[in-house]
Amino acid sequence: MCRWFAYISPQEPCLLSDVLLDPANAISKQCSEHYLPGLLPQGEETELDDSKDALLKMRNSLLNMDGLGVAWYTKAAESYVKGVEGQRAALYKSQSPPISDFNFRNLCSNTETYCLFAHIRATSGSVVTQVNSHPFVFGRHVFMHNGAISDFSKIRRDMTDLLSYDAYCNVLGSTDSEHAAALYITNLTNHGAKDTWEKEYPIAEMLTAINKTIVQIMELQRKQLGDKAAPNSLNFCATDGKKMVATRFRNHPTEQPPSLYWSEFAGRTLNQKFPGHPDGTDKVNEAATKDADEKIGKHTIIASEPTTHDDSEWHLIKANCALTVDENGTETEVPLKYDTTFNAVDPSYP
């Protein structure tokens, strides 16, 4: 399975290298190494070989080596481009593994942002090419996915029929994830044209749009495949640079969705200006310039895996729930709404 990392704050920027490169379990290292508290036994959070959960072992045994993408929000265009107000996403994509991508590492060392998406890809069948790497940008909105839409090739035609014209034209690659992104923006803007992608929408509407996208996918599968429809893993994340919504979802009665955690504290541990070290409380951060009693600004991290080794900083999002983060940084976890008759049996892991 893929891995992704998201950071958002109304007050405190992050340096990309602090959160994406330097920690021992940074996303750049999750191509092959994993840390899954709450899903593996305490003290064995990295020991996949001993897990009795075959689906968990399969997901986390894959190498995430099929593409890298980073989107970070900046106000640069506002100063130059007529009609642009506020932050917009800058985008970097590569086919190289992140740990050996010189350009990526150099970019991270001198870039800060208040909102960040990062993604490493393990393909579920589509070609390895830059356009198929996440995240996907639609105006001020950005979207990424960990998981897979089951039997995507069998519903792809019907799925494109649900897209607005401009959303369809903005799909540059062949992945299930980019089509889901286009369906999300279609739902969010009510089939709006490209100019509606520049607007902000309330967090409640973002949640409704992403929930509708999940339901529409299952409806298409039921229509085309009937009882043979297989379960999906739909860990989606979408942002407009100020607000964020993420889902942890699998339509199976007992199987867990892919891992997804959130934290309102880890940003301080990751920020090299503050005391503390992401790799453990026994480590010393020699680069700290802030005092121990100084506070960091409100922030939220949502990630496939914790990037600090203090489990108390992280919460595992409940199965089939969404986490919303509003413009003030307030986090709310809510159940996703769907008809449980869409739950399906996994033919590989019955």
Side-chain angles (χ1 to χ4, degrees), residues 9-28:
S9 173
Q11 302 169 331
E12 190 76 39
C14 68
L15 183 67
L16 268 60
S17 59
D18 277 355
V19 297
L20 303 182
L21 293 179
D22 295 342
N25 201 49
I27 190 171
S28 58

Side-chain angles (χ1 to χ4, degrees), residues 2 64-67 119-123 126-128 132-134 175:
C2 307
N64 301 306
M65 304 285 279
D66 298 325
H119 189 282
I120 54 174
R121 182 173 178 242
T123 179
S126 54
V127 66
V128 176
N132 280 342
S133 294
H134 311 218
T175 64

Side-chain angles (χ1 to χ4, degrees), residues 214 218-219 221-222 226-232 249-255 320 336 338-346:
I214 290 172
M218 294 187 293
E219 288 174 341
Q221 291 167 330
R222 180 62 57 86
D227 292 339
K228 294 182 179 179
N232 308 277
F249 182 83
R250 184 166 176 82
N251 57 315
H252 188 281
T254 59
E255 289 176 352
N320 298 346
L336 289 160
Y338 78 106
D339 187 340
T340 55
T341 62
F342 285 126
N343 282 343
V345 175
D346 190 333

Side-chain angles (χ1 to χ4, degrees), residues 164-210:
S164 68
Y165 176 78
D166 284 346
Y168 174 80
C169 292
N170 200 67
V171 176
L172 304 178
S174 58
T175 64
D176 56 344
S177 303
E178 190 173 14
H179 285 76
L183 186 55
Y184 166 75
I185 200 69
T186 297
N187 291 331
L188 181 65
T189 63
N190 193 25
H191 286 257
K194 197 171 185 177
D195 63 309
T196 63
W197 304 349
E198 301 300 331
K199 298 179 181 180
E200 295 181 36
Y201 298 86
I203 189 65
E205 293 182 19
M206 294 171 65
L207 174 61
T208 297
I210 212 164

